[in-house]
Amino acid sequence: MPRLLRLAAAVALLAPAVGAQDVPRGGVPPGGTITLDEAVEIAVGQSPEVRRGVLADDSRALAVSDARTGRLPSISASLAPTQRYGLAFDQTIGDVVTQTSETLNLGVGGSIRLYDGGRVSADVRRARLEREAASVGLERTRQQVATDVAQQFLQLLLDRELVEVQTEQLTAAEAQLERVRELVEAGARPRGDLITQESVVAARRTDLIVAQGAVDRTEVVLVQLVGLDPLGDYTFVGPSLDALEAAGLFAYEPEPLAALIDAARAARTDLQAQEIQIRAAEAGIGSARAGGLPSLDLDASYGTGYSSLQRRSVGEAPSFPVTLPDGTPILVGGDPLTFPGDPTLETTPVFTQFGDNRGGSVGLTLRVPIFDRFQTRRAVAEARIRADDARIQLDALDRQVASEVQQAVVEARTAAARLEAAEAQLAAATEALRVERDRYALGAGTLYEVAEQQARLAEAASGRAQAAYGLVFRIALVRLAVGDVAVEDLAETVVGG
């Protein structure tokens, strides 16, 4: 809709100079003056829905990282000190004794899956797509938050316009009161007309108080919606109704409905997010199917150990000669025959045992599922159901988008027609009041007729303001339904900044 954007750019030149200060993201501008663009920026930055969406995106980023770890090996180290008490056979004395022993086993092992049927790849793809869908869908949440702020902002501008209408009506009623007083003092009108007009002035003052109360209530809601400090002093500024009219924003020329629906299908981020969800669900089917395929693991381990029972001899073992009863040594091959004695033993040092007891293993493990109680079949069926459900949701969302665009266009056309009728009614009411005042001044009309026409004029002016701001917002809703306006450009689209 190029014409709309050109008109919105023209309105930007007519927006008040105040409120053009730079606003820190998520902060309040200096002096408490806030434009619609600044209000949208603050609201989107502080919206609980948007912040929860950001946290959800962070969570899905962790899910992607977690899925990728399936490709990494698993490595573990073990340290197992043990002390045992109980009976053991002592070879030195050839008897069973009660003893205490200490052992220390050290080891490191690892395993890496060489083939898993593509399960890790499918899990990574599904996690990545789910994160992408969440990130794309977050933009739609930001658009909705910005639109809610824009609607409340326009309501505030409308309420202020109604205050101006009531102020003008009060001024006109007070001026009419002075004319009636002059006519009564001149004897041209009965004193009852003066009392009647005084009641009209009082009623106009009441209407002005009510209109100002509506402004205050709308400001409170807007402060809460934007996320500002409720105790702060803020001034929300925006273009007046006359500025919007001068910019030509009330000349609504919608594009063909079919073109708008096609544009929405291409631009709506919620549709894009749902399409990505379908791809993620299809990746889940591959992950479930991999559960029924063979897997191949490479396993390796290496370790050593220490035991307090492990001994080694110290020095040379003693030997004793074999002799005859008279002490003569028995010779064998010319050498004395001896038999060895018990060697001197000590516990083998720790690091010596660590070096002597080293050992490891490397092996392949092939696992072939034969019967898993139909769990894989059930998982695949459930994954296909989720994918089909995602496609059904996309179809329903597509229909909803088309309906939203059509409804937004119809409401915008109705708002344009309502504004045209309201302007005609305002012109007629203005002329009718002028005629009744002239008739009253000439003595041909009554004060009741003047007051009635003045009330109709106030109603017509209020109706025209409501129709005008309603049209501006309905045009913005058309763009929201199409989804081709970024949050940063929403304020310019609505009121020109």
Side-chain angles (χ1 to χ4, degrees):
M1 196 172 290
R3 175 177 173 80
L4 173 60
L5 298 180
R6 289 198 299 270
L7 294 177
V11 177
L13 301 177
L14 298 175
V18 294
Q21 303 101 325
D22 293 335
V23 184
R25 177 169 290 276
V28 179
T33 300
I34 303 177
T35 63
L36 174 57
D37 183 60
E38 295 163 348
V40 168
E41 182 179 6
I42 297 171
V44 171
Q46 298 188 1
S47 167
E49 292 81 5
V50 173
R51 289 158 62 190
R52 289 182 63 189
V54 172
L55 290 178
D57 182 69
D58 294 340
S59 176
R60 288 180 171 87
L62 293 177
V64 174
S65 300
D66 183 65
R68 286 173 177 166
T69 59
R71 298 191 176 103
L72 301 178
S74 61
I75 302 175
S76 63
S78 63
L79 172 65
T82 306
Q83 189 174 53
R84 290 186 175 87
Y85 307 91
L87 298 177
F89 180 76
D90 191 338
Q91 296 180 354
T92 60
I93 63 176
D95 196 5
V96 176
V97 298
T98 300
Q99 64 180 5
T100 301
S101 63
E102 293 84 19
T103 60
L104 177 63
N105 294 316
L106 305 177
V108 60
S111 176
I112 183 170
R113 179 147 293 184
L114 302 179
Y115 178 74
D116 62 357
R119 184 167 194 165
V120 172
S121 298
D123 288 342
V124 171
R125 183 169 180 266
R126 179 179 59 182
R128 187 185 299 116
L129 288 171
E130 288 178 347
R131 184 192 180 189
E132 183 181 353
S135 300
V136 172
L138 180 59
E139 179 62 24
R140 187 62 182 175
T141 302
R142 296 173 72 245
Q143 289 178 352
Q144 191 61 57
V145 170
T147 302
D148 293 342
V149 172
Q151 180 181 14
Q152 196 65 25
F153 200 97
L154 287 176
Q155 183 63 46
L156 178 60
L157 297 182
L158 171 60
D159 291 342
R160 288 177 179 172
E161 194 71 27
L162 296 180
V163 168
E164 292 296 326
V165 171
Q166 295 302 331
T167 301
E168 293 175 359
Q169 293 301 315
L170 175 59
T171 302
E174 290 175 342
Q176 181 69 15
L177 177 61
E178 292 303 320
R179 288 192 294 269
V180 171
R181 181 176 287 109
E182 292 174 358
L183 292 174
V184 170
E185 291 176 353
R189 286 292 180 179
R191 182 163 296 274
D193 284 2
L194 181 60
I195 298 174
T196 300
Q197 189 59 29
E198 288 176 345
S199 65
V200 171
V201 171
R204 293 291 172 264
R205 286 174 179 164
T206 301
D207 292 341
L208 179 58
I209 293 173
V210 172
Q212 186 59 55
V215 171
D216 296 338
R217 288 192 299 272
T218 304
E219 285 183 345
V220 169
V221 175
L222 185 56
V223 166
Q224 185 273 334
L225 193 60
V226 174
L228 301 173
D229 183 2
L231 301 180
D233 184 16
Y234 312 101
T235 301
F236 297 97
V237 296
S240 64
L241 194 60
D242 293 338
L244 295 177
E245 183 178 14
L249 284 181
F250 298 160
Y252 177 58
E253 298 177 3
E255 297 178 9
L257 180 60
L260 289 176
I261 292 178
D262 290 340
R265 286 171 173 162
R268 284 281 292 260
T269 54
D270 47 353
L271 279 175
Q272 298 171 12
Q274 189 58 37
E275 290 173 351
I276 298 173
Q277 285 287 5
I278 293 176
R279 293 159 53 196
E282 291 173 346
I285 297 176
S287 176
R289 187 181 290 116
L293 299 178
S295 63
L296 180 64
D297 294 337
L298 172 64
D299 303 308
S301 64
Y302 182 82
T304 185
Y306 161 82
S307 173
S308 62
L309 298 180
Q310 184 173 333
R311 305 295 179 88
R312 70 176 182 179
S313 60
V314 179
E316 295 184 0
S319 61
F320 301 96
V322 179
T323 63
L324 296 174
D326 58 1
T328 303
I330 299 176
L331 299 178
V332 177
D335 295 324
L337 176 64
T338 61
F339 65 89
D342 294 331
T344 302
L345 301 177
E346 69 174 2
T347 301
T348 306
V350 174
F351 290 102
T352 301
Q353 292 194 40
F354 285 166
D356 295 340
N357 299 333
R358 293 175 298 173
S361 66
V362 177
L364 292 173
T365 302
L366 176 65
R367 295 181 177 87
V368 180
I370 297 177
F371 179 70
D372 63 355
R373 302 189 302 276
F374 306 109
Q375 292 183 4
T376 299
R377 181 187 299 180
R378 184 164 49 252
V380 171
E382 291 176 351
R384 285 175 176 168
I385 290 174
R386 286 192 292 269
D388 291 340
D389 182 67
R391 295 186 187 93
I392 294 173
Q393 291 183 40
L394 177 61
D395 182 64
L397 185 58
D398 181 79
R399 297 181 185 182
Q400 178 182 338
V401 168
S403 176
E404 288 178 358
V405 173
Q406 185 175 9
Q407 183 176 355
V409 170
V410 170
E411 291 179 349
R413 289 173 177 170
T414 302
R418 186 181 296 114
L419 176 59
E420 182 178 356
E423 289 177 341
Q425 185 177 2
L426 178 61
T430 301
E431 179 63 19
L433 178 60
R434 185 191 65 79
V435 171
E436 289 300 332
R437 283 175 175 171
D438 292 343
R439 292 180 67 247
Y440 180 78
L442 296 174
T446 64
L447 187 60
Y448 172 79
E449 292 171 334
V450 174
E452 184 179 8
Q453 289 300 329
Q454 192 169 9
R456 290 178 179 175
L457 176 61
E459 182 179 352
S462 299
R464 191 256 181 183
Q466 293 173 353
Y469 280 108
L471 175 59
V472 172
F473 185 65
R474 292 303 173 188
I475 293 175
L477 286 185
V478 172
R479 305 319 313 167
L480 177 67
V482 174
D484 59 355
V485 177
V487 171
E488 294 76 12
D489 302 327
L490 180 62
E492 181 180 0
T493 303
V494 175
V495 297

